[in-house]
Amino acid sequence: DVQLVESGGGAVQVGGSLRLACSVSGERLRPYCLGWARQASGKEREVVASLDTDGSTTYAESLRGRFTISKADDKNTLYLQMTGLNLDDTAMYYCTGSLTCGRIWAGHRDFEGQGTQVTVS
């Protein structure tokens, strides 16, 4: 199995920035797609961004330009840099992984962390 542990969430003011991190570990570390999803209170879960094995990235259209997904291979860590945060960005953010990015964007949760809370005020 693969274990994903998020960190970096917290409280931030409108217009501020935050970088989330996801530590990736497990016995069977094979190439797979990684991504971030979020769920605000009372709303459906939304996939935010994904990073494929070839380095290609995909973003939710509404977030393009404000969020950046990246990975530090030497640290087995996935990041989500968020800028220009607004009230609608308040949510629990989850690190998620799957064999394909298609499965992530289809809503499958093959591997997922416990989440880290981001609160914008």
Side-chain angles (χ1 to χ4, degrees):
D1 287 344
V2 175
Q3 290 81 46
L4 306 175
V5 179
E6 304 93 338
S7 62
V12 62
Q13 292 185 336
V14 170
S17 301
L18 208 58
R19 188 178 77 161
L20 306 182
C22 172
S23 175
V24 183
S25 62
E27 294 183 356
R28 295 182 296 168
L29 289 178
R30 56 181 170 176
Y32 46 80
C33 181
L34 293 172
W36 291 94
R38 69 183 184 181
Q39 187 163 21
S41 180
K43 296 186 178 180
E44 291 188 356
R45 182 175 176 273
E46 172 189 26
V47 178
V48 171
S50 66
L51 176 63
D52 211 338
T53 55
D54 63 357
S56 60
T57 58
T58 305
Y59 296 92
E61 192 60 35
S62 62
L63 301 175
R64 187 182 298 276
R66 292 198 299 120
F67 288 14
T68 303
I69 188 172
S70 62
K71 187 171 183 283
D73 291 326
D74 59 337
K75 297 180 181 179
N76 275 337
T77 302
L78 182 75
Y79 299 102
L80 183 68
Q81 178 69 49
M82 306 184 292
T83 62
L85 289 165
N86 58 57
L87 299 178
D88 290 337
D89 296 318
T90 294
M92 184 70 80
Y93 284 72
Y94 298 91
C95 180
T96 187
S98 183
L99 288 178
T100 70
C101 290
R103 287 184 60 81
I104 288 180
W105 288 97
H108 293 282
R109 306 181 188 183
D110 294 336
F111 307 111
E112 192 158 285
Q114 294 300 307
T116 185
Q117 177 68 38
V118 172
T119 302
V120 184
S121 62

